[in-house]
Amino acid sequence: MIQKKTPVAAGAATGTKKQETTIYGLRPVIEAIDGGVQIDKVLMQNGLSGQLAGELKGRIRDKNIPFQFVPVEKLNRMTKGNHQGVAALIAPIAYQQAIDLIPKLMDEGKVPFLLMLDHVTDVRNFGAIVRTAECAGVDAVIIPDHGSAQVNDDAVKTSSGALLRMPVCRESNLKTVLNLARQCGLQVVAATEKGATDYLDVDLAKPTLLIMGAEETGISPELLKLSDVRAKLPILGQVQSLNVSVAAAVFMYEALRQRRTK
């Protein structure tokens, strides 16, 4: 079964309406995965078992699709139909792959500016960051396929539709992306309050991948190790940190300022 909700945002190029689509039922979800449908997350009833359930779990594992076990009551609230213990939330955007996007930007003669969000889970922050990224000329936003804000109707609305225009790469291994970026000549800049370099002293006019971390935990240690520069924003007040969307905006517009003056 396929259920569509009310249109929420205009498409980027065509002016058509985007709809959040949810697919219910074991066989329909399996067929959607086999058909290459971009799935944001699969919700499965706790304790779901059987042959088809096993096939679905195998597909999810092979395709590295985010999933979550939920009480049957949650699925019952989502639909009055026979969900068979499964619902798949279809992504409102088509994800891209960094392995294709980064070399393409270089081949086009661009000076890439990419933004990586390491476990930024708040949808409002995520949407606000993407909105600013689109306004500031960021080439793409990179997120992990697990532990990131869901790219759903709320994210699209919070971004004011920027998510329908901004290339988004959802990646299973952020370390691999960082290594690829460095191989392609991009510097990796980690935004962290523990950094030794003031953000104004970083040359953001160069090909750059900027990492922003979650407010509570910051950037993962394994990603920090791969950074070329650890940059900080000056904090003069008693509060020792900024909202991640605000901090990201400062970095992105400093990069834009530098690039416009070169």
mmCIF file of all heavy atoms in Angstrom, residues 46 56-57 76 81 92 101 110 122 130 139 145 147 164 183 190 192 203 221 225 233 236 239-240 242-243 260:
data_model
loop_
_atom_site.group_PDB
_atom_site.id
_atom_site.type_symbol
_atom_site.label_atom_id
_atom_site.label_comp_id
_atom_site.label_asym_id
_atom_site.label_seq_id
_atom_site.Cartn_x
_atom_site.Cartn_y
_atom_site.Cartn_z
ATOM 1 N N ASN A 46 8.155 -4.346 16.424
ATOM 2 C CA ASN A 46 8.977 -5.140 17.335
ATOM 3 C C ASN A 46 8.638 -6.624 17.212
ATOM 4 O O ASN A 46 7.465 -7.007 17.200
ATOM 5 C CB ASN A 46 8.744 -4.701 18.788
ATOM 6 C CG ASN A 46 9.300 -3.326 19.080
ATOM 7 O OD1 ASN A 46 10.307 -2.919 18.514
ATOM 8 N ND2 ASN A 46 8.638 -2.585 19.969
ATOM 9 N N LEU A 56 13.134 -8.915 3.915
ATOM 10 C CA LEU A 56 13.193 -7.466 4.054
ATOM 11 C C LEU A 56 14.418 -7.048 4.867
ATOM 12 O O LEU A 56 15.142 -6.121 4.487
ATOM 13 C CB LEU A 56 11.925 -6.947 4.725
ATOM 14 C CG LEU A 56 11.907 -5.447 5.054
ATOM 15 C CD1 LEU A 56 12.109 -4.602 3.802
ATOM 16 C CD2 LEU A 56 10.607 -5.073 5.759
ATOM 17 N N LYS A 57 14.659 -7.739 5.970
ATOM 18 C CA LYS A 57 15.818 -7.403 6.804
ATOM 19 C C LYS A 57 17.114 -7.589 6.022
ATOM 20 O O LYS A 57 18.061 -6.806 6.177
ATOM 21 C CB LYS A 57 15.811 -8.262 8.073
ATOM 22 C CG LYS A 57 14.664 -7.936 9.021
ATOM 23 C CD LYS A 57 14.618 -8.904 10.194
ATOM 24 C CE LYS A 57 13.411 -8.614 11.097
ATOM 25 N NZ LYS A 57 13.298 -9.583 12.209
ATOM 26 N N ASN A 76 -0.030 1.416 13.649
ATOM 27 C CA ASN A 76 -1.495 1.514 13.590
ATOM 28 C C ASN A 76 -1.964 2.957 13.484
ATOM 29 O O ASN A 76 -2.976 3.254 12.840
ATOM 30 C CB ASN A 76 -2.120 0.858 14.826
ATOM 31 C CG ASN A 76 -1.958 -0.655 14.826
ATOM 32 O OD1 ASN A 76 -1.695 -1.263 13.784
ATOM 33 N ND2 ASN A 76 -2.087 -1.273 15.994
ATOM 34 N N GLY A 81 -4.839 0.773 7.192
ATOM 35 C CA GLY A 81 -4.716 -0.397 6.334
ATOM 36 C C GLY A 81 -3.901 -1.502 6.983
ATOM 37 O O GLY A 81 -3.435 -1.383 8.122
ATOM 38 N N PRO A 92 11.992 12.654 0.300
ATOM 39 C CA PRO A 92 11.436 13.639 -0.633
ATOM 40 C C PRO A 92 12.481 14.175 -1.616
ATOM 41 O O PRO A 92 12.161 14.977 -2.479
ATOM 42 C CB PRO A 92 10.940 14.754 0.295
ATOM 43 C CG PRO A 92 11.828 14.663 1.484
ATOM 44 C CD PRO A 92 12.142 13.208 1.656
ATOM 45 N N LEU A 101 30.086 13.145 -6.923
ATOM 46 C CA LEU A 101 29.897 14.594 -6.893
ATOM 47 C C LEU A 101 31.211 15.362 -6.814
ATOM 48 O O LEU A 101 31.419 16.342 -7.544
ATOM 49 C CB LEU A 101 29.002 14.965 -5.710
ATOM 50 C CG LEU A 101 28.713 16.457 -5.550
ATOM 51 C CD1 LEU A 101 27.892 16.981 -6.718
ATOM 52 C CD2 LEU A 101 27.997 16.735 -4.235
ATOM 53 N N LYS A 110 35.222 24.126 -10.662
ATOM 54 C CA LYS A 110 34.744 24.841 -9.483
ATOM 55 C C LYS A 110 35.764 24.752 -8.344
ATOM 56 O O LYS A 110 36.654 23.905 -8.338
ATOM 57 C CB LYS A 110 33.400 24.280 -9.026
ATOM 58 C CG LYS A 110 32.264 24.542 -9.999
ATOM 59 C CD LYS A 110 30.933 24.104 -9.407
ATOM 60 C CE LYS A 110 29.779 24.459 -10.331
ATOM 61 N NZ LYS A 110 28.466 24.088 -9.754
ATOM 62 N N ASP A 122 18.755 17.272 15.126
ATOM 63 C CA ASP A 122 17.578 18.126 15.260
ATOM 64 C C ASP A 122 17.122 18.595 13.877
ATOM 65 O O ASP A 122 17.892 19.224 13.136
ATOM 66 C CB ASP A 122 17.898 19.330 16.144
ATOM 67 C CG ASP A 122 16.677 20.190 16.406
ATOM 68 O OD1 ASP A 122 15.961 19.907 17.369
ATOM 69 O OD2 ASP A 122 16.443 21.121 15.611
ATOM 70 N N VAL A 130 20.735 23.856 6.044
ATOM 71 C CA VAL A 130 20.642 23.663 4.598
ATOM 72 C C VAL A 130 20.136 24.927 3.919
ATOM 73 O O VAL A 130 20.587 25.288 2.825
ATOM 74 C CB VAL A 130 19.740 22.457 4.271
ATOM 75 C CG1 VAL A 130 19.533 22.330 2.762
ATOM 76 C CG2 VAL A 130 20.341 21.174 4.812
ATOM 77 N N ASP A 139 28.190 23.841 -2.200
ATOM 78 C CA ASP A 139 27.966 22.934 -3.328
ATOM 79 C C ASP A 139 27.186 21.681 -2.949
ATOM 80 O O ASP A 139 26.478 21.121 -3.783
ATOM 81 C CB ASP A 139 29.308 22.531 -3.949
ATOM 82 C CG ASP A 139 30.000 23.703 -4.616
ATOM 83 O OD1 ASP A 139 29.434 24.243 -5.584
ATOM 84 O OD2 ASP A 139 31.083 24.094 -4.160
ATOM 85 N N ASP A 145 24.229 8.161 7.043
ATOM 86 C CA ASP A 145 22.938 7.507 6.830
ATOM 87 C C ASP A 145 22.316 7.013 8.135
ATOM 88 O O ASP A 145 21.157 6.634 8.157
ATOM 89 C CB ASP A 145 23.048 6.369 5.804
ATOM 90 C CG ASP A 145 24.015 5.276 6.217
ATOM 91 O OD1 ASP A 145 24.510 5.309 7.361
ATOM 92 O OD2 ASP A 145 24.284 4.387 5.392
ATOM 93 N N GLY A 147 21.989 8.179 12.388
ATOM 94 C CA GLY A 147 22.290 9.192 13.383
ATOM 95 C C GLY A 147 22.267 10.605 12.850
ATOM 96 O O GLY A 147 23.021 11.457 13.316
ATOM 97 N N LEU A 164 15.200 20.900 -1.560
ATOM 98 C CA LEU A 164 14.820 20.442 -2.887
ATOM 99 C C LEU A 164 15.776 20.975 -3.950
ATOM 100 O O LEU A 164 15.676 20.588 -5.114
ATOM 101 C CB LEU A 164 13.387 20.895 -3.197
ATOM 102 C CG LEU A 164 12.321 20.454 -2.187
ATOM 103 C CD1 LEU A 164 10.973 21.022 -2.568
ATOM 104 C CD2 LEU A 164 12.269 18.939 -2.096
ATOM 105 N N GLN A 183 42.018 13.512 -1.118
ATOM 106 C CA GLN A 183 42.669 13.027 -2.333
ATOM 107 C C GLN A 183 42.373 13.935 -3.523
ATOM 108 O O GLN A 183 43.192 14.060 -4.440
ATOM 109 C CB GLN A 183 42.208 11.599 -2.639
ATOM 110 C CG GLN A 183 42.721 10.561 -1.662
ATOM 111 C CD GLN A 183 42.043 9.211 -1.829
ATOM 112 O OE1 GLN A 183 41.331 8.974 -2.807
ATOM 113 N NE2 GLN A 183 42.257 8.320 -0.868
ATOM 114 N N ALA A 190 37.607 21.436 10.501
ATOM 115 C CA ALA A 190 36.693 21.025 11.560
ATOM 116 C C ALA A 190 36.353 22.233 12.419
ATOM 117 O O ALA A 190 37.251 22.897 12.947
ATOM 118 C CB ALA A 190 37.328 19.927 12.407
ATOM 119 N N THR A 192 35.333 23.534 15.706
ATOM 120 C CA THR A 192 35.290 23.036 17.075
ATOM 121 C C THR A 192 35.784 24.101 18.036
ATOM 122 O O THR A 192 36.754 24.826 17.743
ATOM 123 C CB THR A 192 36.140 21.757 17.234
ATOM 124 O OG1 THR A 192 36.266 21.418 18.622
ATOM 125 C CG2 THR A 192 37.524 21.922 16.637
ATOM 126 N N ASP A 203 41.964 29.948 5.465
ATOM 127 C CA ASP A 203 41.743 30.293 4.063
ATOM 128 C C ASP A 203 40.596 29.431 3.523
ATOM 129 O O ASP A 203 40.810 28.329 3.030
ATOM 130 C CB ASP A 203 43.018 30.069 3.258
ATOM 131 C CG ASP A 203 42.875 30.525 1.806
ATOM 132 O OD1 ASP A 203 41.770 30.987 1.441
ATOM 133 O OD2 ASP A 203 43.851 30.404 1.038
ATOM 134 N N PRO A 221 35.677 11.973 17.240
ATOM 135 C CA PRO A 221 37.149 11.964 17.300
ATOM 136 C C PRO A 221 37.806 11.426 16.038
ATOM 137 O O PRO A 221 38.838 11.951 15.600
ATOM 138 C CB PRO A 221 37.445 11.073 18.508
ATOM 139 C CG PRO A 221 36.239 11.207 19.377
ATOM 140 C CD PRO A 221 35.082 11.331 18.425
ATOM 141 N N LYS A 225 40.490 13.624 13.675
ATOM 142 C CA LYS A 225 41.851 13.180 13.344
ATOM 143 C C LYS A 225 42.169 13.381 11.871
ATOM 144 O O LYS A 225 43.339 13.538 11.502
ATOM 145 C CB LYS A 225 42.019 11.708 13.716
ATOM 146 C CG LYS A 225 42.045 11.431 15.211
ATOM 147 C CD LYS A 225 42.192 9.953 15.501
ATOM 148 C CE LYS A 225 42.166 9.678 17.000
ATOM 149 N NZ LYS A 225 42.253 8.219 17.293
ATOM 150 N N LEU A 233 35.281 29.612 16.735
ATOM 151 C CA LEU A 233 34.677 30.937 16.761
ATOM 152 C C LEU A 233 34.957 31.566 18.120
ATOM 153 O O LEU A 233 34.894 30.882 19.150
ATOM 154 C CB LEU A 233 33.167 30.844 16.543
ATOM 155 C CG LEU A 233 32.705 30.310 15.186
ATOM 156 C CD1 LEU A 233 31.190 30.119 15.193
ATOM 157 C CD2 LEU A 233 33.117 31.232 14.068
ATOM 158 N N LEU A 236 32.896 35.338 23.719
ATOM 159 C CA LEU A 236 33.238 36.357 24.708
ATOM 160 C C LEU A 236 32.291 36.361 25.905
ATOM 161 O O LEU A 236 32.596 36.956 26.938
ATOM 162 C CB LEU A 236 33.237 37.743 24.046
ATOM 163 C CG LEU A 236 34.147 37.892 22.811
ATOM 164 C CD1 LEU A 236 34.071 39.324 22.291
ATOM 165 C CD2 LEU A 236 35.575 37.501 23.130
ATOM 166 N N VAL A 239 28.072 32.014 28.054
ATOM 167 C CA VAL A 239 27.666 30.785 27.369
ATOM 168 C C VAL A 239 28.804 30.359 26.450
ATOM 169 O O VAL A 239 29.309 31.154 25.659
ATOM 170 C CB VAL A 239 26.378 31.020 26.549
ATOM 171 C CG1 VAL A 239 25.994 29.751 25.797
ATOM 172 C CG2 VAL A 239 25.248 31.449 27.462
ATOM 173 N N GLN A 240 29.215 29.119 26.552
ATOM 174 C CA GLN A 240 30.448 28.679 25.905
ATOM 175 C C GLN A 240 30.258 28.025 24.539
ATOM 176 O O GLN A 240 31.201 27.470 23.979
ATOM 177 C CB GLN A 240 31.187 27.705 26.832
ATOM 178 C CG GLN A 240 31.755 28.363 28.074
ATOM 179 C CD GLN A 240 32.711 29.509 27.729
ATOM 180 O OE1 GLN A 240 33.708 29.316 27.055
ATOM 181 N NE2 GLN A 240 32.379 30.715 28.196
ATOM 182 N N LEU A 242 27.706 28.038 20.639
ATOM 183 C CA LEU A 242 26.640 28.582 19.810
ATOM 184 C C LEU A 242 25.754 27.451 19.306
ATOM 185 O O LEU A 242 26.195 26.295 19.194
ATOM 186 C CB LEU A 242 27.226 29.325 18.613
ATOM 187 C CG LEU A 242 27.962 30.630 18.880
ATOM 188 C CD1 LEU A 242 28.681 31.086 17.619
ATOM 189 C CD2 LEU A 242 26.996 31.700 19.355
ATOM 190 N N ASN A 243 24.521 27.773 18.978
ATOM 191 C CA ASN A 243 23.667 26.829 18.273
ATOM 192 C C ASN A 243 24.369 26.424 16.988
ATOM 193 O O ASN A 243 24.972 27.251 16.304
ATOM 194 C CB ASN A 243 22.330 27.505 17.979
ATOM 195 C CG ASN A 243 21.433 26.669 17.098
ATOM 196 O OD1 ASN A 243 21.586 26.696 15.889
ATOM 197 N ND2 ASN A 243 20.510 25.942 17.696
ATOM 198 N N ARG A 260 34.438 36.001 -2.465
ATOM 199 C CA ARG A 260 34.001 37.155 -3.258
ATOM 200 C C ARG A 260 35.080 38.213 -3.352
ATOM 201 O O ARG A 260 35.054 39.066 -4.246
ATOM 202 C CB ARG A 260 32.743 37.774 -2.645
ATOM 203 C CG ARG A 260 31.515 36.882 -2.758
ATOM 204 C CD ARG A 260 30.286 37.546 -2.203
ATOM 205 N NE ARG A 260 29.872 38.690 -2.997
ATOM 206 C CZ ARG A 260 28.814 39.457 -2.711
ATOM 207 N NH1 ARG A 260 28.090 39.202 -1.640
ATOM 208 N NH2 ARG A 260 28.499 40.476 -3.481
#
